[in-house]
Amino acid sequence: MMDNSSTLHLALPAVHTAASATAPPSLAQPRAFSTSVNPLVFFSILDHYLRRNAGQDRVIGTLLGVRSEDGSEVEIKGCYPVPHLETEDQVEVDMEYHRTMFELHKQVNPKEVIVGWYATGAALNSYSALIHDFYQKEVSSFPAVHLTMDTALTNERLGVKTYISAPVGITSKADNCMFIPIPCDVKYFKAERAGLELLANAKSTESGSTSLLSDMDNLEQSVIEVQKMLERVSEYVDSVLAGTVPANNTVGRYLMDTVSVVPKVDAAEFEKMFNSHLQDLLMVIYLANMTRTQLAVAKRLEKLM
């Protein structure tokens, strides 16, 4: 029930086993329905969890993104936290804060709409169905997406999962629903990939931190990765020719298309071109360092004057 327009009070039903249930694989949503999540959403959820109030087990928030015309594909681009309070017999959601944040967000990104909500924790608790019913009304005719993140890092993984709900039983009640898992993948741009790879490298170090690579180090790393990919492709082709690995027509056509776009350049000519471009790159780096040094000297001279 609601006692005012700013806070939504949801009482715990007497029977709520269906609220925390998930559908078996045989009842899963059709494969056409899928979600993709931007990596910034995960960082926002983790930041919200780290800033939670003392004694709060989990946090929730609103997911923002875009949908396809038929609603079968959802791209989650952003999110924002929503204050809430859970007790043994009810849960309170700050509706006024939720709607104010959405109005402010629309001024910056008018194309993004509410697509669902997130919650920390691997399991669905007794209030998940009730909160999901509230967000289902916010997204109108399309199914609301529920994203969960295991902040306890079970098996050293975040355990990100996405669900939609389906009604269960004859009577239409908020708690009479079952959560159905749907496919979810991470969608990022090329500019974001460098940051994600840097975080992955920091995980493998003892200190858990790393520094930005220089331009030359990035170039060296890119060349090494290309060399590894070429070696892997060469091993696959040799294995197919030797008969140890069955041939795949799709892979063969893809490799043929890739090789056909590579220009035929003599090895000596290619080395000459590469060295020429490398010298140009080194010259640009040298001039940039000289300019940086001159600016630093000029700034110190201004302080002395």
Side-chain angles (χ1 to χ4, degrees), residues 183-209:
C184 174
D185 60 353
V186 180
K187 184 177 182 180
Y188 53 86
F189 300 99
K190 292 182 179 179
E192 299 170 336
R193 181 175 181 178
L196 295 175
E197 291 179 349
L198 193 64
L199 292 175
N201 294 333
K203 182 180 178 181
S204 59
T205 60
E206 295 182 359
S207 61
S209 61

Side-chain angles (χ1 to χ4, degrees), residues 78-137:
C79 64
Y80 58 82
V82 175
H84 87 296
L85 177 63
E86 295 184 13
T87 60
E88 294 181 358
D89 54 352
Q90 71 175 9
V91 57
E92 300 178 5
V93 181
D94 194 338
M95 298 171 57
E96 187 67 23
Y97 181 89
H98 158 70
R99 289 167 181 167
T100 301
M101 287 293 295
F102 180 59
E103 291 297 329
L104 294 174
H105 186 83
K106 284 198 301 183
Q107 298 179 9
V108 181
N109 298 302
K111 294 183 179 180
E112 294 185 6
V113 297
I114 299 175
V115 297
W117 66 291
Y118 70 81
T120 56
L124 302 170
N125 67 6
S126 305
Y127 297 114
S128 296
L130 301 177
I131 301 176
H132 192 83
D133 180 69
F134 162 70
Y135 277 95
Q136 184 60 59
K137 297 175 182 177

Side-chain angles (χ1 to χ4, degrees), residues 175-278:
D175 55 301
N176 290 345
C177 73
M178 178 174 291
F179 284 94
I180 303 176
I182 56 175
C184 174
D185 60 353
V186 180
K187 184 177 182 180
Y188 53 86
F189 300 99
K190 292 182 179 179
E192 299 170 336
R193 181 175 181 178
L196 295 175
E197 291 179 349
L198 193 64
L199 292 175
N201 294 333
K203 182 180 178 181
S204 59
T205 60
E206 295 182 359
S207 61
S209 61
T210 184
S211 58
L212 295 175
L213 299 178
S214 62
D215 294 338
M216 293 301 298
D217 292 335
N218 279 322
L219 177 61
E220 180 183 4
Q221 186 174 0
S222 299
V223 172
I224 293 175
E225 291 179 357
V226 172
Q227 185 177 3
K228 290 181 179 179
M229 288 187 288
L230 290 175
E231 291 177 354
R232 187 162 62 249
V233 170
S234 299
E235 292 178 359
Y236 171 77
V237 173
D238 293 339
S239 300
V240 171
L241 294 176
T244 57
V245 176
N248 190 315
N249 295 332
T250 303
V251 176
R253 284 192 294 268
Y254 182 80
L255 292 176
M256 183 179 63
D257 295 338
T258 303
V259 174
S260 62
V261 299
V262 178
K264 295 181 179 180
V265 183
D266 184 67
E269 185 67 20
F270 177 78
E271 184 177 359
K272 181 179 178 181
M273 292 170 56
F274 180 80
N275 291 332
S276 176
H277 287 291
L278 183 60

Side-chain angles (χ1 to χ4, degrees), residues 135-199:
Y135 277 95
Q136 184 60 59
K137 297 175 182 177
E138 293 289 303
V139 300
S140 63
S141 59
F142 295 104
V145 177
H146 177 36
L147 184 146
T148 61
M149 177 182 290
D150 183 13
T151 49
L153 296 179
T154 306
N155 298 325
E156 297 185 354
R157 298 180 64 88
L158 285 175
V160 177
K161 297 180 181 179
T162 52
Y163 306 89
I164 61 173
S165 65
V168 177
I170 301 176
T171 58
S172 178
K173 294 183 180 180
D175 55 301
N176 290 345
C177 73
M178 178 174 291
F179 284 94
I180 303 176
I182 56 175
C184 174
D185 60 353
V186 180
K187 184 177 182 180
Y188 53 86
F189 300 99
K190 292 182 179 179
E192 299 170 336
R193 181 175 181 178
L196 295 175
E197 291 179 349
L198 193 64
L199 292 175

